[in-house]
Amino acid sequence: MTRVIGFAGWSGAGKTQLLTALIPVLKARGQSVSTLKHAHHTFDIDVPGKDSYRHREAGASEVLIASASRWALMHELNGAPEPELPELLAHMSPVDLVLIEGFKRNPHIKIEVHRAANGKPWLYPDDPSIGAIASDVAPPAGCALPWVGLNDYAGIADLVQAHAWPLAQVTRPA
């Protein structure tokens, strides 16, 4: 059964670095892991001039690239609204865990990634979907959420396994 958990924090908090260190820990525990990353800007995963890039630039709605090593599907929105998280999750193959980076305003369960040097406010006081914290400093007094150090990957893996929601809890209609 696929379970889902998000990682939310301000830019520069270390979400990507954390996930790249956390994935091998979870895999060593026997978990299959996929990730879903939100980007706040236009992005390309293809190289200008390559055939698949040229197909997309020519107006193809979808371009699927396949090789013996991997396949990737690019879908152009062409002015349509950005897909919601449940729709994106529906495109993913079943795994034990889907780790979501970004989508911090969505109501799925999240671990807040906080770095004091950023000088940004904590997210948890205004986001009831934050269930735990990974930070390089302890949260303010009175915070009842579980907290582990930002570099305690085993501890963060424990939080992921304890708090991740079943996929159906994230994808069911509101």
Side-chain angles (χ1 to χ4, degrees):
M1 172 179 63
T2 299
R3 295 176 17 170
V4 176
I5 192 163
F7 290 81
W10 298 104
S11 179
K15 296 179 300 294
T16 299
Q17 190 280 327
L18 170 61
L19 289 180
T20 58
L22 180 62
I23 291 167
V25 174
L26 292 165
K27 288 182 65 75
R29 294 181 180 191
Q31 301 288 290
S32 56
V33 180
S34 291
T35 62
L36 195 159
K37 163 91 171 107
H38 185 260
H40 292 285
H41 45 78
T42 302
F43 66 93
D44 273 315
I45 61 169
D46 201 7
V47 179
K50 290 293 189 179
D51 293 348
S52 54
Y53 183 92
R54 293 174 58 204
H55 294 178
R56 187 174 55 79
E57 287 292 301
S61 296
E62 289 189 332
V63 177
L64 194 143
I65 310 164
S67 75
S69 300
R70 69 188 55 87
W71 67 270
L73 176 64
M74 292 181 287
H75 179 92
E76 290 295 310
L77 293 176
N78 294 319
E82 181 177 346
E84 297 290 331
L85 181 59
E87 181 182 347
L88 295 170
L89 286 165
H91 289 292
M92 300 186 79
S93 298
V95 290
D96 295 318
L97 290 165
V98 175
L99 308 179
I100 301 169
E101 182 179 343
F103 293 94
K104 72 181 172 198
R105 300 293 175 219
N106 285 67
H108 61 283
I109 189 71
K110 299 178 211 66
I111 294 174
E112 178 172 354
V113 180
H114 182 85
R115 186 174 302 278
N118 265 2
K120 298 284 189 177
W122 292 89
L123 298 174
Y124 77 87
D126 298 318
D127 186 349
S129 66
I130 291 176
I133 295 172
S135 176
D136 58 349
V137 295
C143 175
L145 296 174
W147 164 70
V148 297
L150 201 48
N151 297 319
D152 180 359
Y153 306 121
I156 296 168
D158 291 341
L159 290 176
V160 165
Q161 292 181 304
H163 293 279
W165 284 357
L167 179 63
Q169 191 168 345
V170 180
T171 59
R172 70 175 172 226

